[in-house]
Each structure stands twice: as structure tokens, then as C-alpha cells.
Amino acid sequence: MLARKELKKPRIGLYSMGLKHYWGQFPGMKERLTEYGEFIAKKVEGMGGEVYFYGMVDCEQEGLKAGEYFNEKNVDIIFAHSATYVTSASILPLHQICKAPTVVLNLQPTARINYEKTTTGEWLAHCGACPVPEISNAFNRAGIKYRVVNGLLGLDYTPEISMTNEVTNERPEAIRAWKKIEEWVLAAKVKRNLQGARFGFLGNTYSGMLDMYSDFTMFQGQTGAHLQVLEMCDLDKHLQKVTDEEVAAKRKEIEEFFVISDDDAADPLAQKPTEEQLNWSAKVAVAQEKLVEEFDLDALTYYYHGAPGNHYEDVQGGFIVGHSLLTADGIPCAGEGDLKTCLAMKICDIIGKGGSFCEIVTTDYEDGTILLGHDGPFHLEIAKGKPILRGMGLYHGKQGTGVSVEAKVRTGDITNLGCSQTIDGKLKFIITEAESTDGPIMTIGNTQTPVKFKSDPDTYMDKWFAEAPTHHFAMSVGHNAEIFKKVADLLEIPSVVLE
């Protein structure tokens, strides 16, 4: 994935837990368990995390100090490594001081202890699961939310002190555990990058689309992102200063990125773009980039109707190409003033999985698929082949004419992330894993991807409509439901996964 702005690394707090009384009783144990913690830190750093490893928390005093340490580091999430037994009183103060979301890591170093030779000290180095029930109970009664990852540590070597084989990196229990940990790291990355992210809102919402309307204060309150309200004149001032040289450079970029269609579409409204349309789209695209730079935007949602013959009607007619280029460059752009779907697109983009603007196009009962797409921006980085640019005789349901993108998401695993709003004003994620197919699409200048769901089309739509979704959503590549669920958890946004 390309990125106009460098994404921030998630700040991961990590500590190992143990019982201080053990260190004098079992020489080498503290160092051994700390080495396990250092191994975890290195693995998490390899996943893109900025790790702050406190070390061993083995008494109440260390718990207090660790809580202050993680607050100083402003961590997004804490991985609490259950290395051996610990009293819950040792670690509870940590989480009462630092309110970052907590994931307990119960990662056993070996698949099976050496029953014949194991000593008490050896056993205690493998009993990370022992304190987890006690910790869970204490957290619950203290009102602290927690999550647990169970599995194997995944070492690719055996420490000299060990009495058994600790090479478990290829075992499924280690692979599953580390997949879950990576999902938490990605979820923390989303949280970190939404905090203070700048979403532009240009123009207004398509009149009458009641599901699109959003409370801007609610949006910031639940995501931590700032909303910058923009006017068309903010864009137009840049448009007036675009040079011929800038237009020529942007035309070259467009021609390298897209296939320019001939007059081969079935729809007479979607034919070869004229030179005037292409040059105008290029000029508007230059201005759109300058607008993003001026306001330091991380995402943009937009819509402007424009009175017939009005200058701003002409400006909005050139939106789609430039907004598609920005979307591919890490600045997701959502049409029709759909702020909630812009958020979904940004989440998909942060985890490197795309995020294309979609709605239902039509159902193919012969193939058992639903065509999903839109007439607006498309995430070019997840396209199957080069997208096609077509000149539009009109934008259906909208004012003006211009150039539109025709493309489909590449074949394979996909996940749709819908973001709706409930009666109490809370955002809600609706998540669905499915498969994009290489079925036929229409030549009408719209993005379209045939998608096969786990259920037949009607059964799936029954489930989807029952969740009161908005009519837009973001399509990402890969099966990402577990990541999106964890994002919802960290943001405290309700979520549902549909089959």
C-alpha cells in the first residue's frame, strides 16, 4: 500500500509477571522468565509495534511503578505476559493506574513438560495459566476489562536452563496465538492513528440520505478523530492557481495508472473520455492534493450538488479521478458525504487492506453473487488489473458530467466493514467475510465486484438488513473480521459479524 502520510506505530506496553518469593528459592528463574518477555518484545516489534518492556512485575510496589511507567509512555495497549504464578494484588494496581486496554498473554514455553525430570522450579516456569483465573476474577471485580490469548510461546530454540524441548514455533498452538497477538497490534495501530486524525468534510451530505447524516461531535467523541469542515471555495482557491505544467504531470500519472476507455461500453452514457474531461479531472486532482496538504488531512468525505451551470457544479464533476488517486495514496475519500463509511475505509487502509467505497449494485442469482460497487472513488491499490476511465454523459442521480472509474476488487478473500449508527447515537460495525469472484461486470463506468457470501444472496441480505446498516460500506482484501472485532473492542464500538 502507498501512503502520502507515514502511519504512526502503535505504542505497546509489555511486562512479565511472577512472584518475588520464587527468585531466592529457584536461582535463574527470574532471568529465564525475563528472557521469555524479551522474546515477546522482539516479536511484537517485528509486527510494527513500538514496544515498551517494563520487565518483571512481581510485587505490589512494582505494579505501582509499572503503571506509572506505561502512563508516561502513553501506551495504546498492554500485553500482560503471564510468565508464572503471581498474586493478583501485584498487578491490579498497574491496571488501576494505567487504563490502557489489557491483553493477558498465557503463552506456555513447551508443548509438554519432561515428567520424569521436572523439578518444582522447572514446573513453575511453565505454569503461566495458573494465575489467569485469579487475575480474571480480580479484574472483573475491579471493573477492568481484559482479554486473554492462550497458546504456546513459539521459541525457535531451547534455553540452557530448560529440562524439556521448547522449540514450538511451528506448532499450530503457537501460530494461532501469534496471529491473535498480531491482530491486537493492528487494532492498536488503528486506535493510535485515529487519535487526532484529521477527517475533512467537503460540501454537504446528499440531500435525503438519512442514513448518511452524522453527528460530528459524536464522531470525534467515539473515534478521537478531528473533523475539519471545508467549503468548496477552499478547494477552488487552489484550483485557480494550478499551472499547465502541473496538469501535464498529473495527466501523465493518470495515463500510467488507468486504462483510458474507447467508445466500447454498452451504455451510451459511458464512453471514451474527451481531452477536455481528462484535462479537467487532472487539474481538479492537483487542487485536491493541495487541499489535503493545506489542511493536513488523513481522510476526506465530500459531496456537492451544484446548481446547473454553476462553477462548483463543474468542479465537483472532476472529483472522482483525483479522489481515487488520493484513496490509493492513503487518504481515503468517500462520496455523498458519508463520514461513517469514510471511517471504515480509513480503518481498512491503516491495516494495509484497502477499503473501497461500495453499495449493493445488483444480485446475480445465476452465479449466487451480489455485485458491490459505486460510481465514486475506488481504492486502486486493490484493483484487479488496471482500472478503466470512462467519460460519463451524466452522473446518475447527481448534477454534472465528468470522468468515472470502472474497476473491480481483485479475486479472493474480502471483508466488508460497514459503519452504522444506532438509535442511541453509538457507532456500530457490521463485518462480513466473503469471496470476490471473477464474474462479469457492466460497462457503465462504475466500480463493481461480484461477491459470493457464505449464505445465498437472499439469506445474507436478510441478515444484513436486519442490522440496520447504512447503504455504503468499505471493502477490504483478505479475511479481516478478527482484526475489525478487536478494533471495535479497543474503540468501545459495538460490532457484529455476519456469516
Side-chain angles (χ1 to χ4, degrees), residues 19-75:
L19 191 64
K20 192 172 184 178
H21 299 298
Y22 288 159
W23 313 147
Q25 296 174 334
F26 306 105
M29 178 184 285
K30 182 179 181 181
E31 293 75 16
R32 177 181 185 175
L33 302 183
T34 301
E35 182 179 334
Y36 294 152
E38 291 168 344
F39 169 79
I40 294 170
K42 187 176 180 181
K43 287 271 286 186
V44 173
E45 283 176 352
M47 295 171 175
E50 191 174 292
V51 180
Y52 296 92
F53 181 41
Y54 178 82
M56 186 64 66
V57 173
D58 55 7
C59 62
E60 295 89 340
Q61 292 85 348
E62 287 298 327
L64 291 167
K65 288 191 284 186
E68 296 291 355
Y69 172 78
F70 291 135
N71 272 343
E72 290 170 6
K73 300 304 181 183
N74 190 23
V75 298

Side-chain angles (χ1 to χ4, degrees), residues 396-422:
H396 67 271
K398 303 177 176 72
Q399 290 285 115
T401 67
V403 179
S404 190
V405 178
E406 184 177 291
K408 59 182 172 181
V409 171
R410 60 176 177 254
T411 305
D413 297 346
I414 62 103
T415 306
N416 293 331
L417 175 61
C419 183
S420 188
Q421 185 177 355
T422 59

Side-chain angles (χ1 to χ4, degrees), residues 73-90:
K73 300 304 181 183
N74 190 23
V75 298
D76 299 300
I77 195 170
I78 295 175
F79 288 147
H81 170 220
S82 183
T84 187
Y85 177 73
V86 66
T87 59
S88 51
S90 297

Side-chain angles (χ1 to χ4, degrees), residues 386-452:
K386 279 190 172 186
I388 299 170
L389 290 186
R390 297 195 187 275
M392 304 298 292
L394 59 82
Y395 291 133
H396 67 271
K398 303 177 176 72
Q399 290 285 115
T401 67
V403 179
S404 190
V405 178
E406 184 177 291
K408 59 182 172 181
V409 171
R410 60 176 177 254
T411 305
D413 297 346
I414 62 103
T415 306
N416 293 331
L417 175 61
C419 183
S420 188
Q421 185 177 355
T422 59
I423 190 172
D424 59 0
K426 292 287 289 182
L427 296 173
K428 173 185 174 182
F429 289 168
I430 305 171
I431 305 161
T432 309
E433 292 183 339
E435 309 295 321
S436 66
T437 73
D438 200 18
I441 64 173
M442 297 173 282
T443 56
I444 58 172
N446 282 19
T447 69
Q448 303 149 74
T449 302
V451 171
K452 186 176 285 292

Side-chain angles (χ1 to χ4, degrees), residues 242-256 279 282-283 285-286 289 325:
V242 175
T243 65
D244 291 342
E245 291 77 16
E246 288 173 318
V247 172
K250 185 57 66 176
R251 268 293 299 265
K252 184 178 179 182
E253 180 185 345
I254 290 170
E255 289 167 6
E256 289 174 352
N279 285 334
K283 186 173 183 177
V286 174
E289 286 189 356
L325 291 173

Side-chain angles (χ1 to χ4, degrees), residues 175-472:
I175 293 169
R176 281 198 302 268
W178 279 105
K179 182 176 183 292
K180 292 177 182 177
I181 293 169
E182 184 172 22
E183 290 166 352
W184 282 116
V185 172
L186 287 171
K189 183 179 181 182
V190 171
K191 183 183 179 186
R192 165 63 56 175
N193 282 277
L194 286 181
Q195 191 70 41
R198 297 176 60 80
F199 280 67
F201 193 100
L202 175 60
N204 46 50
T205 303
Y206 192 113
S207 181
M209 289 185 177
L210 301 181
D211 59 328
M212 297 294 96
Y213 299 158
S214 296
D215 178 332
F216 293 172
T217 306
M218 169 277 299
F219 180 81
Q220 181 166 351
Q222 295 182 52
T223 67
H226 168 75
L227 195 71
Q228 184 71 35
V229 178
L230 304 169
E231 301 291 348
M232 287 292 283
C233 53
D234 291 317
L235 176 64
D236 192 50
K237 74 177 183 182
H238 292 295
L239 187 63
Q240 300 305 321
K241 298 176 183 177
V242 175
T243 65
D244 291 342
E245 291 77 16
E246 288 173 318
V247 172
K250 185 57 66 176
R251 268 293 299 265
K252 184 178 179 182
E253 180 185 345
I254 290 170
E255 289 167 6
E256 289 174 352
F257 219 120
F258 297 94
V259 173
I260 309 300
S261 75
D262 291 318
D263 291 329
D264 56 0
D267 189 344
L269 296 174
Q271 299 297 326
K272 182 177 182 178
T274 66
E275 283 296 301
E276 182 182 12
Q277 286 176 322
L278 289 171
N279 285 334
W280 182 246
S281 290
K283 186 173 183 177
V284 173
V286 174
Q288 289 166 327
E289 286 189 356
K290 293 179 184 292
L291 180 75
V292 165
E293 291 166 3
E294 178 188 359
F295 291 97
D296 191 27
L297 300 182
D298 296 279
L300 175 67
T301 187
Y302 67 91
Y303 178 71
Y304 195 82
H305 198 78
N310 185 276
H311 171 60
Y312 287 164
E313 178 193 7
D314 293 336
V315 175
Q316 64 86 26
F319 274 179
I320 290 176
V321 174
H323 283 153
S324 290
L325 291 173
L326 284 170
T327 299
D329 210 16
I331 311 294
C333 298
E336 298 179 355
D338 190 349
L339 178 60
K340 296 185 289 296
T341 298
C342 193
L343 170 64
M345 293 167 69
K346 186 62 182 177
I347 291 170
C348 296
D349 191 79
I350 290 170
I351 67 170
K353 302 293 186 179
S356 274
F357 193 58
C358 286
E359 65 184 9
I360 291 180
V361 176
T362 188
T363 300
D364 186 328
Y365 286 100
E366 294 288 344
D367 287 350
T369 59
I370 303 176
L371 233 63
L372 307 174
H374 207 271
D375 66 352
F378 180 75
H379 201 303
L380 309 175
E381 286 296 303
I382 61 173
K384 178 178 173 59
K386 279 190 172 186
I388 299 170
L389 290 186
R390 297 195 187 275
M392 304 298 292
L394 59 82
Y395 291 133
H396 67 271
K398 303 177 176 72
Q399 290 285 115
T401 67
V403 179
S404 190
V405 178
E406 184 177 291
K408 59 182 172 181
V409 171
R410 60 176 177 254
T411 305
D413 297 346
I414 62 103
T415 306
N416 293 331
L417 175 61
C419 183
S420 188
Q421 185 177 355
T422 59
I423 190 172
D424 59 0
K426 292 287 289 182
L427 296 173
K428 173 185 174 182
F429 289 168
I430 305 171
I431 305 161
T432 309
E433 292 183 339
E435 309 295 321
S436 66
T437 73
D438 200 18
I441 64 173
M442 297 173 282
T443 56
I444 58 172
N446 282 19
T447 69
Q448 303 149 74
T449 302
V451 171
K452 186 176 285 292
F453 294 90
K454 295 177 183 178
S455 308
D456 65 85
D458 287 345
T459 300
Y460 175 72
M461 287 190 286
D462 285 344
K463 297 174 184 176
W464 185 22
F465 300 156
E467 296 297 332
T470 60
H471 74 278
H472 297 146

